[in-house]
């Protein structure tokens, strides 16, 4: 596909039906088309199978939304989420659909700032603004939003969001002792009842078991893809990888898994044939930190435009979403929920204390990915990741790893300054 | 002749190097079309190679297709030329300030840059000097002349300006205010140097290094001595020219 052929499709009739502000939203597909052509389709040497994922972006505001609406008409509830700490398996077990909503766009922030204070993280503002402005088809399509207590900005915003759309909040403990696990198991049970109520269906052992298998397959496919990408030279760009990880949050899981595996087959061939996105000598950078919700491509675009390749994301848009699987061997619902809880308690979000497992995990992934430097990404006002950067820096100093901490938001204002820092960092890696 | 050209936010600096020695240097205002300005400067030289750096380096690369390096690397190279055993560079520029730590071989080990506000940059000094009706040079001399003054509380350029105005209205002598403003910047720069960590051999580069009050107060605060190059404002351009020499 040439860049000119690519277009994010519009469907005003569908948007109307979802109660959107169609007039305001109609500029959105055009903006996204432009951005996607410039940032993604201008890349050289992309794998052919990226076509499926490009197609998912083309259908972002139409085809995929239509699928959701059709599913809703058939009685399947759609749940919007903002965090990887949601047991998606429970939603799927009652026939529901889980879509990630986290906002990654500057465009909706002014809407949010009419209500929310300015000095909270851009992700929360962007997401909330999408709902207030009625400018996100997914937000309009959801029957329920799942919120969590991982940070103060989120926790308090859910109270306001609940006035716009039913919002179920789960308490995420902030330590990982036995009693915290017990608390979270109770929360998972409550969430299960909530989903049963919303869907009118029971979460059976069979249903949960099937959902666990679907999610394990999806996570395995992403692990496979990430392992392939660690090859030097990388057979796929960091930007493309980021895109796939973002799509993971709203695509149909089984279809997504099949397409990721097909892409992996192609990458296997590329590696065997020595085809890469950049020469082996290209500096390799790993990114850690706060997740990057669609369409936040800022940092990856800066890094790869400056002549490096991103080889890993230690992030919830990244390994934190798929590094752990769930044990499939159990029979009763109680056992399944308990094993799911075990799996989710391994997520090392910076909201936990202590959280040294995360520092170790970053080092493990750094080594596995063949990276030559670590860039820690933090959204402005995201205090937990920002403070945890101190420990990451210490670890990097100890291990002799070049380290750069970046704090930013979605605005283009600081792009010049970030460019300088990132280029200097790459010069530093080159030596 | 090897040319380094530093397209900064406020001025363009050019350094011409021959046989590893600075032969000539020029400084002009950036103006509205910095790359045209730069091209005019370049036309005066018979350059064998041009390397550009600074805020406008990508623009320069599009127009006269030279090599580019970042300000960080350029200042590191320039500082190492001023003091071959330099371990840390402090560069206070028009838009941003940086601390760059070097390893034994002079390579960049790590660096820190201030965030997007004007605090602790040349811009901040300029705004405060103008508020008091001083030129930049007078501003530093006034601060040297004063014997007292406490750091002003605010480092946001907007708030600091109103703080300075209210001090003025209360009859505080302008020299004392000048000293207070300098002390505030020194606080900020010292914090940056402490956070980044620094060696014992320090070079202070960038136009602000001409300000003796700033250098003196910072030395006092940190208990160190800075090497101040003869022409601190061209250190980036010099670094770029020196880099040109390594490309043969
Ligand atoms: S970083 Fe923490 S709060 Fe954010 S999505 Fe990940 S687990 Fe959830
Ligand atoms: S980025 Fe940080 S502050 Fe923002 S929602 Fe996520 S955890 Fe909260």
């Amino acid at each position: 596909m040439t860049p000119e052929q690519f277009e994010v499709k519009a469907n005003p009739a569908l948007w109307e039906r979802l109660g959107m502000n169609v007039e305001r939203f109609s500029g959105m597909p055009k903006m996204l088309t432009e951005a996607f052509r410039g940032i993604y389709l201008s890349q050289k040497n992309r794998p052919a199978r990226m076509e499926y994922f490009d197609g998912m972006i083309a259908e972002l505001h139409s085809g995929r939304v239509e699928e959701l609406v059709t599913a809703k008409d058939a009685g399947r509830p759609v749940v919007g989420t903002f965090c990887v700490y949601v047991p998606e398996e429970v939603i799927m077990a009652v026939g529901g659909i889980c879509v990630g909503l986290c906002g990654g766009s500057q465009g909706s922030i002014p809407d949010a700032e009419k209500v929310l204070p300015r000095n909270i993280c851009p992700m929360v503002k962007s997401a909330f603004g999408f709902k207030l402005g009625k400018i996100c088809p997914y937000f309009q399509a959801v029957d329920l939003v799942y919120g969590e207590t991982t940070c103060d900005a989120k926790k308090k915003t859910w109270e306001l969001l609940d006035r716009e759309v039913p919002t179920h909040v789960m308490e995420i403990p902030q330590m990982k002792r036995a009693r915290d696990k017990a608390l979270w198991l109770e929360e998972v049970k409550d969430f299960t009842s909530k989903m049963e109520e919303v869907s009118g269906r029971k979460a059976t052992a069979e249903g949960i078991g099937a959902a666990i298998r679907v999610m394990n397959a999806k996570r395995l496919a992403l692990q496979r893809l990430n392992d392939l990408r660690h090859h030097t030279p990388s057979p796929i760009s960091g930007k493309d990888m980021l895109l796939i990880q973002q799509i993971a949050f709203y695509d149909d899981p089984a279809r997504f898994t099949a397409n990721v595996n097909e892409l992996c087959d192609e990458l296997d061939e590329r590696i065997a044939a020595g085809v890469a996105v950049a020469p082996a000598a290209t500096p390799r950078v790993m990114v850690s930190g706060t997740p990057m919700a669609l369409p936040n491509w800022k940092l990856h675009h800066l890094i790869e435009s400056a002549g490096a390749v991103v080889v890993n994301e230690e992030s919830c848009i990244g390994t934190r979403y798929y590094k752990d699987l769930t044990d499939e061997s159990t029979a009763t619902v109680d056992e399944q929920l308990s094993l799911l809880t075990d799996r989710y308690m391994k997520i090392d979000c910076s909201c936990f204390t202590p959280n040294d497992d995360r520092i170790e995990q970053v080092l493990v992934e750094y080594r596995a990915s063949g990276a030559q430097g670590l860039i820690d990404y933090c959204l402005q006002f995201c205090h937990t990741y920002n403070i945890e950067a101190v420990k990451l820096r210490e670890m990097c100093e100890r291990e002799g790893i070049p380290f750069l901490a970046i704090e930013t938001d979605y605005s283009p204002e600081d792009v010049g300054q970030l460019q300088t820092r990132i280029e200097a960092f790459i010069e530093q890696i080159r030596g | 002749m090897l040319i380094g050209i530093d397209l900064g936010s406020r001025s363009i600096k050019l350094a011409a190097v021959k046989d590893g020695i600075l032969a000539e240097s020029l400084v002009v205002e950036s103006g509205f079309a910095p790359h045209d300005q730069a091209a005019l400067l370049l036309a005066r030289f018979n350059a064998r190679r041009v390397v550009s750096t600074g805020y406008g380096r990508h623009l320069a690369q599009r127009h006269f297709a030279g090599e580019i390096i970042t300000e960080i690397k350029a200042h590191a190279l320039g500082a190492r030329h001023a003091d071959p055993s330099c371990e840390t560079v402090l560069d206070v520029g028009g838009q941003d300030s940086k601390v760059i730590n070097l390893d034994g071989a002079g390579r960049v080990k790590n660096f820190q840059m201030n965030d997007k506000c004007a605090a602790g940059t040349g811009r901040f000094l300029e705004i405060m000097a103008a508020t008091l009706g001083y030129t930049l040079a007078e501003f530093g001399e006034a601060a040297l002349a004063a014997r007292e003054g406490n750091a002003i509380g605010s480092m946001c350029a907007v708030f600091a300006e109103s703080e300075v105005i209210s001090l003025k209205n209360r009859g505080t002598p302008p020299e004392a205010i000048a000293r207070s403003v300098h002390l505030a910047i020194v606080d900020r720069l010292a914090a940056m140097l402490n956070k980044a960590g620094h060696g014992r051999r320090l070079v202070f580069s960038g136009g602000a290094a001409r300000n003796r009050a700033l250098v003196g107060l910072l030395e006092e605060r940190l208990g160190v001595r800075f090497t101040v190059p003869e022409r601190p404002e061209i250190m980036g351009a010099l670094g770029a020219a020196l880099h040109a020499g390594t490309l043969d």
Side-chain angles (χ1 to χ4, degrees):
Chain A
M1 183 170 27
T2 66
E4 296 71 41
Q5 286 166 327
F6 174 86
E7 201 180 356
V8 178
K9 294 187 196 123
N11 189 342
L14 177 69
W15 301 341
E16 193 77 59
R17 192 184 149 194
L18 289 168
M20 292 180 65
N21 183 338
V22 177
E23 204 191 312
R24 262 203 65 195
F25 190 68
S26 47
M28 187 71 157
K30 254 183 252 134
M31 260 167 47
L32 206 57
T33 301
E34 286 305 307
F36 196 76
R37 281 180 184 163
I39 297 176
Y40 277 93
L41 302 176
S42 60
Q43 298 179 95
K44 289 195 192 74
N45 246 343
R46 296 177 83 211
R49 290 251 154 73
M50 279 310 293
E51 199 172 350
Y52 169 77
F53 302 98
D54 294 346
M56 280 305 294
I57 296 294
E59 296 291 345
L60 179 64
H61 298 150
S62 53
R64 180 61 184 144
V65 183
E66 236 164 71
E67 288 178 357
L68 293 184
V69 171
T70 309
K72 274 166 76 86
D73 290 344
R76 300 177 62 188
V78 178
V79 179
T81 64
F82 288 98
C83 178
V84 301
Y85 232 93
V86 57
E88 280 183 57
E89 290 85 348
V90 170
I91 300 174
M92 289 162 64
V94 299
I97 299 177
C98 182
V99 288
L101 287 178
C102 233
S105 159
Q106 177 72 10
S108 56
I109 287 181
D111 295 84
E113 285 181 349
K114 283 182 201 153
V115 177
L116 294 176
R118 280 173 55 94
N119 53 352
I120 58 176
C121 106
M123 203 190 286
V124 170
K125 280 193 285 192
S126 169
F128 189 63
F130 273 122
K131 182 65 211 177
L132 280 193
K134 299 190 169 49
I135 43 176
C136 168
Y138 293 89
F139 227 139
Q140 292 306 109
V142 299
D143 298 287
L144 177 78
V145 169
Y146 159 93
E148 64 294 322
T149 57
T150 47
C151 76
D152 294 348
K154 281 181 165 185
K155 164 171 97 186
K156 299 309 289 182
T157 301
W158 304 148
E159 294 174 23
L160 303 177
L161 185 67
D162 190 41
R163 300 175 187 169
E164 316 289 329
V165 51
T167 304
H168 176 88
V169 178
M170 276 171 88
E171 177 163 358
I172 309 288
Q174 302 187 9
M175 290 198 183
K176 290 184 174 176
R177 301 161 302 185
R179 67 179 107 152
D180 301 304
K181 281 194 189 177
L183 165 73
W184 209 61
L185 181 57
E186 288 307 306
E187 291 291 306
V188 170
K189 286 182 179 158
D190 282 356
F191 182 62
T192 308
S193 318
K194 178 77 190 178
M195 284 315 302
E196 288 176 336
E197 177 199 318
V198 171
S199 66
R201 284 171 59 172
K202 269 282 335 121
T204 61
E206 238 187 324
I208 300 177
I212 289 176
R213 285 189 294 277
V214 170
M215 286 306 294
N216 277 351
K218 178 175 167 181
R219 294 189 161 114
L220 272 171
L222 284 163
Q223 286 176 14
R224 181 181 167 206
L225 181 59
N226 205 39
D227 287 346
L228 284 168
R229 153 218 212 180
H230 291 166
H231 192 268
T232 309
S234 289
I236 183 169
S237 71
K239 274 198 281 193
D240 279 337
M241 188 70 196
L242 175 65
L243 185 73
I244 294 167
Q245 294 172 138
Q246 289 171 329
I247 289 171
F249 285 88
Y250 73 91
D251 196 3
D252 173 75
R255 179 176 64 197
F256 175 82
T257 303
N259 278 286
V260 170
N261 278 320
E262 279 186 25
L263 174 64
C264 289
D265 294 342
E266 185 188 352
L267 297 192
D268 274 330
E269 289 163 21
R270 275 164 77 95
I271 290 173
V275 181
V277 281
T282 308
R284 298 166 70 82
V285 170
M286 169 168 155
V287 170
S288 61
T290 326
M292 298 160 175
L294 197 86
N296 177 7
W297 302 313
K298 185 172 168 180
L299 183 67
H300 279 56
H301 187 47
L302 281 168
I303 296 174
E304 299 203 330
S305 302
V309 57
V310 183
V311 292
N312 198 63
E313 291 83 18
E314 183 278 333
S315 168
C316 289
I317 292 275
T319 53
R320 235 178 280 135
Y321 181 57
Y322 51 77
K323 72 176 169 50
D324 307 307
L325 302 182
T326 311
D327 186 338
E328 293 179 10
S329 64
T330 52
T332 70
V333 171
D334 272 349
E335 284 168 340
Q336 286 170 329
L337 293 187
S338 162
L339 285 173
L340 275 173
T341 305
D342 289 342
R343 186 242 164 230
Y344 279 88
M345 288 302 279
K346 286 188 201 138
I347 296 174
D348 34 26
C349 174
S350 63
C351 70
F352 287 102
T353 186
N355 200 31
D356 294 327
D357 286 352
R358 175 168 171 239
I359 313 296
E360 287 308 309
Q361 179 65 20
V362 170
L363 186 57
V364 167
E365 292 181 23
Y366 181 85
R367 299 233 162 97
S369 65
Q372 297 162 296
L374 179 69
I375 297 186
D376 189 56
Y377 172 79
C378 183
L379 281 174
Q380 214 172 25
F381 306 114
C382 179
H383 306 310
T384 51
Y385 280 99
N386 212 353
I387 296 172
E388 207 152 274
V390 174
K391 288 198 168 178
L392 280 179
R393 180 185 296 279
E394 288 166 359
M395 181 276 281
C396 286
E397 272 165 13
R398 197 179 67 225
E399 303 289 330
I401 296 171
F403 177 77
L404 178 69
I406 279 181
E407 189 189 357
T408 184
D409 57 12
Y410 300 156
S411 78
E413 262 172 57
D414 59 348
V415 160
Q417 222 229 28
L418 290 182
Q419 208 174 17
T420 302
R421 285 201 212 188
I422 291 164
E423 282 178 27
F425 187 64
I426 294 169
E427 283 173 347
Q428 186 187 331
I429 291 176
R430 285 207 175 104
Chain B
M1 203 72 99
L2 298 166
I3 306 286
I5 189 155
D6 177 358
L7 287 88
S9 55
R10 334 237 343 133
S11 58
I12 298 172
K13 283 83 61 175
L14 179 146
V17 167
K18 204 172 179 178
D19 304 327
I21 294 165
L22 180 65
E24 206 177 328
S25 65
L26 297 165
V27 180
V28 298
E29 300 266 299
S30 297
F32 287 111
H35 56 281
D36 288 343
Q37 289 278 22
L40 280 178
L41 291 187
L42 277 176
R44 299 202 217 160
F45 296 88
N46 178 17
R48 192 153 60 78
R49 199 190 285 279
V50 180
V51 170
S52 15
T53 185
Y55 185 70
R57 65 190 179 283
H58 293 282
L59 186 72
Q61 193 177 35
R62 280 198 294 278
H63 287 274
F64 28 90
E67 288 271 337
I68 57 172
I69 57 173
T70 63
E71 300 90 294
I72 316 271
K73 183 165 185 173
H75 279 278
L77 289 168
R80 214 46 192 194
H81 188 78
D83 173 4
S85 52
C86 167
E87 295 165 301
T88 302
V89 192
L90 171 66
D91 166 53
V92 177
Q95 293 268 1
D96 43 46
S97 305
K98 16 187 161 350
V99 174
I100 309 161
N101 282 311
L102 308 177
D103 67 13
R107 279 186 304 252
V108 175
K109 206 161 64 179
N110 57 54
F111 59 90
Q112 293 246 319
M113 256 166 107
N114 68 310
D115 40 37
K116 40 188 175 181
C117 74
T121 68
R123 181 84 192 115
F124 186 83
L125 273 172
E126 254 171 56
I127 297 172
M128 296 308 128
T131 308
L132 286 164
Y134 286 126
T135 65
L136 262 183
E138 291 164 355
F139 191 39
E141 294 312 311
L144 275 183
R147 245 168 297 132
E148 49 193 281
N150 298 317
I152 55 164
S154 186
M155 273 313 279
C156 163
V158 178
F159 291 122
E161 193 173 2
S162 55
E163 199 172 330
V164 164
I165 292 172
S166 73
L167 283 171
K168 217 161 83 174
N169 292 344
R170 255 186 274 145
T172 313
E175 300 81 38
I177 304 178
R179 191 179 163 91
S180 303
V181 171
H182 279 77
L183 283 170
I185 300 180
V186 162
D187 276 353
R188 187 74 169 211
L189 295 176
M192 237 176 115
L193 277 155
N194 283 329
K195 189 166 178 198
H198 61 81
R200 298 204 53 80
R201 308 283 301 216
L202 297 113
V203 168
F204 197 147
S205 76
R210 286 192 174 281
N211 183 323
R212 288 193 298 139
L214 194 63
V215 179
L217 289 168
L218 188 56
E219 285 180 332
E220 219 172 275
R221 164 68 52 86
L222 293 170
V224 298
R225 288 207 72 76
F226 283 99
T227 300
V228 178
E230 204 178 316
R231 304 211 57 193
E233 63 280 1
I234 62 144
M235 297 310 281
L238 176 62
L242 293 170
H243 180 70
T246 66
L247 295 173
D248 292 325

